[in-house]
């Protein structure tokens, strides 16, 4: 044994003695800590199981957990089982950051899967960047972000709207009525929609934002009745969307003449709206439960078997599901000794896999190439896909902002 | 011009929902001085009771109303007996306690029934609209308006024309003296609390076909109801009715002239101004404590 090595070991032993904790030396030495060095691979699940967002996040949690169990049942990764560490951030952004820190530091997770809302993702972002860890975010979102520590699995504005808007203008007409909740996502989506409408010489007859949780839409419906738009372009979320759809139906407006086209309405909302009131309206997303593919059949069947015949899959929990598989594929490409969050990220880039929605690919900007679809809701609460993109669409997080682009090296301004 | 009449109706519809919620709140405060922060959760319980009655027993929304009233009133009665009655001499603690009860009820529903939004079918015989020229009125909303007026009248009759009402008014005016005359104030309090809770339950049942039934649905509504009670004058029936009308119509007016977000701010600012010049509300009740 060389003298330097001996000193180093002695030092490590000394520190251990001083700190008196098991994980303390690894923490103090910082850089050299090994990931997944034990008998299993710890991964974090950071979805709210309580609080306001739990309604949706619970289903994301379920889908991700199911994927982990499937992987474990099939023998794990490199013979090691995945060990899910479940934290409940209770729908509070500050708690997300705190729990993410706990998962990344104390539990040494190689990746954390989590979040539905943008506010919770943005709370975790600085933690993931500081610890150089990896956060897998499954939700559609407004773009304008280019972190090297977040894997974005959901659709961006260009992936939701590029095929949708021209089709709407052609089939229903150019006069759009925009209604959304008052926060960043609806505003960014409407921004992008306006740039598309400009090229199609469309027109926004009214643009309106209601407070989160707003539930009385009589005034909005009166205005819609007076304006008679061709399309009601909706970015209402959660219970606002449910209330709006039910009141639209109660007011007996005609979906054939002015359909509500939503970027956010999924099988979950439709279940609460009731098939009768949702029928005839549209949603745009890369995935619907009714999409026909062998992968989706398998996914839906497994999900129902695990969580009950009533359970629905939707475009966010599909992503929560396939992201775990993307993580697995990246891990398998790595030598077990090289496992670290940045290496997983680099291995994942360019990797394609067959997801329930179709074959998807991770872009070097860490967003995902997806298969946009437009579906019409049926009276049985399921969506019928009536328009499907002919090709996979690349993610452009800065589509509405010319001169800015998110690349493999981060944000580039041209 | 078309829009104006439609908006007046929209305001009236909103006001009728506010009125039923605020009535229960106003009675509970007016009688025992308890600011019931769990009131929104009583609304929520009413909505879930309606959902349960419909999905498990096949009972429609309108038929379910009396059952929901009894069920939520029973919950209110238990809560009054178990917790609130021990805190009458500590008004600040009742705020904290009722708030805590609200959280417990919310979480209990979330764990017992599930967090996702529930679907309740509206009554078929009330679907559709009545159209008079350009004025379009949803039948169901008309029904809610008529029903809320009936509830207001019923409450007024209960307060002024029955023996219980007389005892209640006596207790409100002076609890000590009333007890000397043999009125059992404790019982009056329990029944009043249960009645207020039951009204909230009815409100919850009535809004299920229009709104989204989730565990947090009451939180937003109870804020509006508080505004009504404060603007109307604490504990006054007439004031509550007038303030519900006022807030409903003003909200509808602002949301068409400006938009819903700014309209809401304008309404709140208006109420601040109102209580600046009429600190006890529009029609303060003359009570002694």
């Amino acid at each position: 044994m060389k003298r330097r090595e001996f000193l180093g070991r002695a030092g490590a032993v000394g520190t251990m003695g001083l700190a008196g904790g098991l994980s303390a030396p690894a923490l103090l030495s910082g850089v050299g800590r090994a990931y997944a060095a034990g008998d299993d691979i710890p991964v974090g699940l950071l979805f709210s199981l309580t609080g306001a967002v739990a309604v949706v996040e619970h289903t994301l949690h379920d889908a991700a957990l199911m994927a982990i169990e499937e992987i474990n049942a099939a023998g794990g990764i490199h013979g090691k089982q995945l060990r899910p560490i479940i934290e409940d951030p209770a729908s509070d952004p500050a708690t997300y950051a705190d729990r993410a820190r706990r998962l990344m530091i104390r539990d040494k997770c190689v990746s954390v899967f989590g979040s539905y809302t943008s506010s919770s993702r943005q709370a975790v972002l600085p933690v993931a960047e500081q610890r150089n860890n990896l956060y897998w975010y499954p939700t559609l979102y407004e773009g304008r972000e280019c972190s090297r520590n977040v894997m974005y699995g959901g659709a961006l504005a260009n992936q939701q709207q590029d095929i949708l808007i021209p089709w709407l203008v052609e089939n229903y007409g150019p006069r759009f009525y925009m209604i959304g909740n008052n926060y960043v996502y609806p505003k960014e989506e409407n921004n992008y929609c306006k740039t598309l409408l400009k090229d199609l010489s469309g027109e926004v007859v009214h643009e309106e934002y209601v407070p989160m949780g707003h539930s009385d839409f009589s005034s909005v419906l009166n205005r819609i009745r007076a304006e008679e738009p061709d399309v009601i372009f909706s970015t209402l979320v959660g219970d606002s969307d449910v209330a709006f759809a039910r009141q639209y139906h109660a007011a007996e407006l005609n979906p054939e003449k002015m359909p509500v086209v939503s970027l956010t309405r999924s099988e979950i909302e439709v279940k609460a709206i009731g098939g009768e009131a949702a029928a005839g309206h549209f949603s745009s997303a890369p995935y619907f439960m009714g999409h026909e593919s062998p992968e989706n059949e398998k996914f839906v069947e497994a999900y129902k078997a695990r969580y009950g015949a009533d359970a629905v899959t939707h475009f966010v929990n599909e992503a929560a599901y396939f992201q775990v598989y993307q993580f697995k594929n990246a891990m398998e490409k790595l030598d077990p000794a090289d496992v670290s969050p940045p290496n997983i990220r680099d291995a994942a880039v360019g990797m394609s896999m067959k997801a329930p929605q179709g074959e998807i690919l991770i872009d070097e900007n860490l967003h995902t190439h997806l298969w946009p679809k437009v579906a019409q809701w049926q009276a049985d609460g399921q969506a019928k896909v009536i328009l499907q993109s002919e090709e996979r669409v690349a993610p452009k997080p800065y589509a509405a902002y010319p001169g800015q682009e998110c690349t493999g090296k981060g944000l580039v301004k041209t | 011009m078309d829009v104006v009449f439609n908006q007046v109706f929209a305001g009236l519809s909103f006001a009728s929902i506010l009125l039923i919620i605020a009535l229960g709140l106003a009675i509970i405060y007016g009688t025992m001085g308890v600011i019931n922060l769990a009131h929104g959760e009583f609304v929520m319980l009413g909505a879930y009771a309606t959902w349960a009655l419909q999905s498990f027993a096949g009972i429609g929304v309108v038929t379910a109303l009396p059952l929901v009233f009894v069920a939520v009133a029973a919950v209110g009665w238990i809560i009054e007996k178990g917790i609130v009655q021990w805190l009458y001499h500590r008004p600040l603690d009742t705020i904290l306690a009722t708030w805590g009860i609200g959280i417990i009820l919310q979480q209990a529903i979330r764990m017992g029934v599930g967090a996702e939004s529930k679907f309740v079918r509206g009554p078929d015989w009330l679907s559709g609209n009545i159209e008079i020229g350009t004025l379009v009125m949803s039948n169901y909303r008309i029904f809610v308006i008529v029903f809320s007026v009936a509830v207001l009248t019923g409450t007024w009759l209960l307060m002024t024309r029955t023996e219980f009402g007389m005892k209640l008014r006596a207790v409100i005016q002076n609890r000590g003296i009333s007890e000397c005359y043999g009125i059992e104030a404790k019982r009056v309090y329990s029944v009043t609390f249960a009645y207020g809770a039951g009204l909230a339950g009815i409100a919850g049942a009535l809004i299920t076909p229009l709104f989204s039934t989730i565990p947090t649905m009451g939180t937003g509504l109870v804020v509006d109801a508080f505004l009504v009670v404060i603007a109307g004058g604490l504990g006054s029936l007439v004031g509550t009715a007038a303030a519900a009308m006022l807030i409903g119509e003003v909200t509808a007016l602002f949301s068409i002239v400006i938009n819903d977000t700014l309209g809401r701010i304008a309404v709140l600012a208006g109420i601040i101004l109102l209580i600046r010049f009429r600190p006890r509300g529009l029609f303060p009740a003359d009570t002694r404590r």
Side-chain angles (χ1 to χ4, degrees):
Chain A
M1 187 183 279
K2 285 182 189 155
R3 184 169 176 265
R4 196 192 282 159
E5 255 180 46
F6 172 76
L7 283 178
R9 282 184 193 178
V13 172
T15 334
M16 197 183 286
L18 276 175
L22 283 170
S23 60
L27 270 184
L28 290 174
S29 57
V31 265
R33 68 199 178 119
Y35 278 98
D39 302 331
D40 50 18
I41 303 164
V43 290
L45 289 186
L46 190 62
F47 296 103
S48 289
L49 306 177
T50 53
V53 204
V55 183
V56 180
E57 288 209 6
H58 212 288
T59 66
L60 311 185
H61 172 89
D62 290 350
L65 193 63
M66 186 175 88
I68 290 174
E69 286 169 0
E70 284 176 4
I71 291 168
N72 282 343
I77 301 172
H78 294 308
K80 285 186 188 176
Q81 295 278 296
L82 289 174
R83 176 161 53 92
I85 300 170
I86 295 163
E87 292 283 359
D88 174 15
S91 309
D92 168 44
T95 314
Y96 274 90
D98 178 60
R99 295 294 187 270
R101 210 170 280 125
R102 191 189 280 182
L103 287 168
M104 288 170 184
I105 299 172
R106 186 190 70 185
D107 301 320
K108 288 202 228 165
C109 291
V110 289
S111 276
V112 175
F113 299 84
S115 286
Y116 176 62
T117 61
S118 283
S119 53
S120 59
R121 181 194 69 248
Q122 279 164 352
V124 173
L125 194 76
V127 180
E129 288 186 340
Q130 190 197 0
R131 309 306 308 184
N132 203 8
N133 210 301
L134 214 50
Y135 194 57
W136 300 72
Y137 176 68
T139 320
L140 65 158
Y141 86 112
E142 64 280 352
R144 286 188 87 182
E145 204 172 280
C146 193
S147 168
R148 297 304 293 160
N149 296 85
V150 180
M151 307 294 286
Y152 304 87
L156 288 164
N158 74 307
Q159 292 169 315
Q160 283 194 287
Q161 297 190 31
D162 280 358
I163 62 162
L164 171 72
I165 305 299
W167 182 83
L168 285 174
V169 170
E170 194 182 309
N171 287 283
Y172 285 91
R175 302 179 70 243
F176 277 47
Y177 188 106
M178 291 176 164
I179 170 89
N181 281 112
N182 198 5
Y183 75 108
V184 59
Y185 174 78
K187 291 188 175 172
E188 291 289 335
E189 292 291 333
N190 286 347
N191 248 349
Y192 186 64
C193 182
K194 279 185 237 165
T195 66
L196 292 178
L197 280 178
K198 214 171 167 187
D199 297 338
L200 298 161
S201 50
E203 179 197 355
V204 179
V205 294
H206 195 80
E207 182 181 357
E208 166 159 38
Y209 300 97
V210 298
M212 291 297 271
H214 186 76
S215 53
D216 197 75
F217 287 92
S218 333
S219 313
V220 174
L221 288 168
N222 279 340
R223 202 180 282 119
I224 287 174
R225 213 178 251 132
E227 297 276 3
E228 295 190 326
D230 297 322
V231 170
I232 300 164
F233 189 71
S234 158
T235 39
L236 292 169
V237 293
D239 31 324
S240 286
D241 186 36
V242 174
F244 178 63
R246 304 198 68 168
Q247 289 166 31
Y248 178 106
H249 182 65
E252 296 199 317
L253 296 175
N254 186 357
E256 277 170 35
K257 263 175 72 188
M258 35 180 165
V260 176
V261 179
S262 171
L263 300 183
T264 48
R265 188 177 295 173
S266 74
E267 282 81 356
I268 295 192
E269 284 82 14
V270 169
K271 205 168 147 186
I273 293 167
E276 200 187 323
H281 299 290
F282 297 93
S283 284
S284 171
Y287 171 86
F288 290 98
M289 192 174 176
H291 173 62
E292 285 170 13
S293 77
E295 287 77 18
N296 187 38
E297 253 168 53
K298 206 182 122 217
F299 171 51
V300 172
E301 203 174 292
Y303 195 80
K304 282 186 163 177
R306 176 80 171 74
Y307 300 110
D310 271 3
V312 291
T313 60
H314 53 93
F315 51 76
V316 193
N317 78 352
E318 185 239 8
Y321 176 78
F322 74 60
Q323 283 202 312
V324 177
Y325 275 95
Q326 289 178 326
F327 163 79
K328 171 196 172 235
N329 294 346
M331 284 285 284
E332 276 174 345
K333 207 168 130 188
L334 285 176
D335 191 282
D338 288 342
V339 167
S340 74
N343 287 346
I344 297 173
R345 172 191 67 210
D346 295 341
V349 168
M351 195 170 250
S352 72
M353 71 164 276
K354 282 213 156 161
Q357 63 173 273
E359 187 163 347
I360 53 166
L361 179 123
I362 299 180
D363 193 89
E364 59 174 16
N365 67 18
L366 305 187
H367 293 70
T368 315
H369 294 243
L370 303 166
W371 290 92
K373 297 171 183 68
V374 177
Q376 186 169 36
W377 295 102
Q378 310 293 313
D380 66 353
Q382 282 295 326
K384 192 172 144 209
V385 178
I386 51 165
L387 176 71
Q388 198 170 164
S389 175
E390 278 156 25
E391 54 197 22
R392 195 162 59 191
V393 176
K396 292 189 198 128
Y398 288 83
Y401 297 87
Q404 294 181 69
E405 206 177 338
C406 181
T407 69
K409 293 183 181 65
L411 184 61
V412 177
K413 288 185 182 167
T414 50
Chain B
M1 201 54 201
D2 312 348
V3 172
V4 175
F5 290 114
N6 278 317
Q7 272 314 100
V8 170
F9 179 72
L12 211 57
S13 164
F14 185 47
S16 63
I17 294 167
L18 279 185
L19 175 62
I20 306 181
I21 303 176
L23 213 49
L25 203 59
I27 291 171
I28 292 176
Y29 182 84
T31 312
M32 46 203 117
V34 169
I35 295 177
N36 178 21
L37 288 182
H39 203 68
E41 277 60 43
F42 291 150
V43 175
M44 183 267 294
L45 284 183
Y48 272 88
T50 317
W51 167 78
L53 284 168
Q54 188 174 85
S55 11
F56 300 119
I59 298 171
V61 172
V62 178
T63 333
L65 286 172
L67 299 172
V68 169
F69 176 81
V70 173
V72 180
V75 174
W77 190 81
I78 292 167
I79 287 171
E80 202 273 345
K81 280 285 171 207
I83 299 163
V84 178
Q85 69 155 326
W86 309 105
L87 299 170
Y88 283 134
H89 53 287
R90 290 152 60 188
L92 275 178
D93 293 345
T94 54
I95 297 182
L96 194 63
T98 51
W99 189 46
I101 293 166
I103 294 173
I104 293 170
L105 289 176
Q106 246 184 50
Q107 197 59 32
I109 289 289
R110 196 175 281 127
M111 293 195 304
V113 185
E116 73 280 359
S117 177
K118 296 292 179 205
F119 171 69
V120 180
R121 222 185 137 72
D124 286 330
W125 58 279
L126 284 172
S127 69
N129 296 308
I130 291 178
E131 292 186 33
I132 305 168
T134 49
L135 175 64
V136 185
M137 298 184 292
S138 148
N139 289 342
Y140 188 74
R141 287 183 185 268
I142 294 175
F143 169 75
V144 176
I145 293 169
V146 172
F147 195 85
S148 70
V149 173
V151 167
L152 179 67
T153 318
T155 307
W156 183 77
L157 289 175
L158 180 78
M159 294 276 277
T160 53
R161 295 284 184 273
T162 64
E163 197 195 327
F164 174 78
M166 197 164 63
K167 285 181 184 168
L168 177 61
R169 281 179 294 139
V171 173
I172 292 176
Q173 286 192 357
N174 194 321
R175 182 180 171 167
I177 300 288
S178 330
E179 282 181 325
C180 292
Y181 280 93
I183 297 173
E184 207 181 333
K186 264 173 84 175
R187 218 184 118 252
V188 172
Y189 277 4
S190 307
V191 174
T192 311
F193 197 89
Y195 181 72
L199 285 186
I202 285 192
L206 283 173
I207 61 175
T208 44
L210 295 172
F211 292 13
S212 163
T213 306
I214 51 168
T216 47
M217 66 188 287
T219 322
L221 289 167
V222 81
V223 173
D224 288 319
F226 265 114
L227 295 181
V228 168
V229 174
I230 290 165
L234 287 161
S236 150
L237 283 188
V238 187
T240 307
M245 273 289 288
L246 191 68
I247 289 179
E249 291 297 346
V250 170
T251 305
L253 176 73
F254 279 140
S255 58
I256 203 82
V257 177
I258 329 169
N259 62 45
D260 275 308
T261 307
L262 287 175
R264 177 109 188 121
I265 296 172
V267 169
L268 289 170
I271 290 173
I272 293 174
L273 273 179
L274 178 79
I275 56 171
R276 165 67 185 79
F277 293 107
R278 289 189 70 92
R280 299 185 61 209
L282 289 172
F283 300 92
D286 293 319
T287 55
R288 250 166 291 167
R289 287 185 192 288

